[in-house]
Amino acid sequence: QVQLVESGGGLVQAGGSLRLSCAASGRTFSPNAMAWFRQAPGKEREFVAAISWRGLSAGSTYYADSVKGRFTIYRDNAKNTVYLQMNNPKPRDTAVYYCAADTTESVYRGYHYWGQGTQVPVSS
């Protein structure tokens, strides 16, 4: 029922910046959290960042240690959109980035809805 559409991916130079967007559709859209994951070539999918969407903790953010201080997740509730601002990306950040919504476990795993993924190659 819920669809997540990612945009903004593409080649970025190391040390540059890039902003990924994920727009959710569906009148019943009401996730408890939204998140970004990524999967690098030959590696397992890993958590990148998450943001709580509702409740007393709405707006609280969570980051993987590997991106803390460089990436920022934020939201626009009116547009049902979550963003990932990638500053100072490094070649090791190269991956397919996926948007996720509505976790059944925790902000770090167990998401029910997923986007199609967008490739982010980081050149050195």
Side-chain angles (χ1 to χ4, degrees):
Q1 189 67 46
V2 174
Q3 287 189 292
L4 305 178
V5 180
E6 296 136 324
S7 62
L11 179 65
V12 62
Q13 296 184 49
S17 64
L18 190 71
R19 189 183 75 166
L20 305 183
S21 300
C22 174
S25 62
R27 292 183 177 181
T28 60
F29 183 70
S30 183
N32 49 25
M34 294 189 71
W36 288 95
F37 289 76
R38 67 186 182 187
Q39 187 167 18
K43 298 184 67 177
E44 296 294 316
R45 184 179 63 190
E46 66 175 351
F47 170 82
V48 176
I51 184 166
S52 297
W53 209 262
R54 52 182 169 87
L56 293 178
S57 297
S60 296
T61 56
Y62 311 82
Y63 297 94
D65 289 341
S66 60
V67 306
K68 191 173 299 181
R70 298 187 297 119
F71 294 4
T72 302
I73 186 171
Y74 61 100
R75 63 179 184 171
D76 186 333
N77 299 65
K79 297 180 179 179
N80 288 335
T81 299
V82 66
Y83 304 90
L84 184 69
Q85 179 67 42
M86 304 171 61
N87 293 333
N88 189 27
K90 304 178 183 298
R92 60 180 169 86
D93 296 315
T94 294
V96 177
Y97 284 72
Y98 297 91
C99 177
D102 204 22
T103 180
T104 59
E105 184 175 347
S106 75
V107 296
Y108 302 106
R109 63 176 61 203
Y111 286 86
H112 184 64
Y113 301 104
W114 293 86
Q116 77 284 357
T118 183
Q119 292 198 8
V120 180
V122 182
S123 63
S124 60

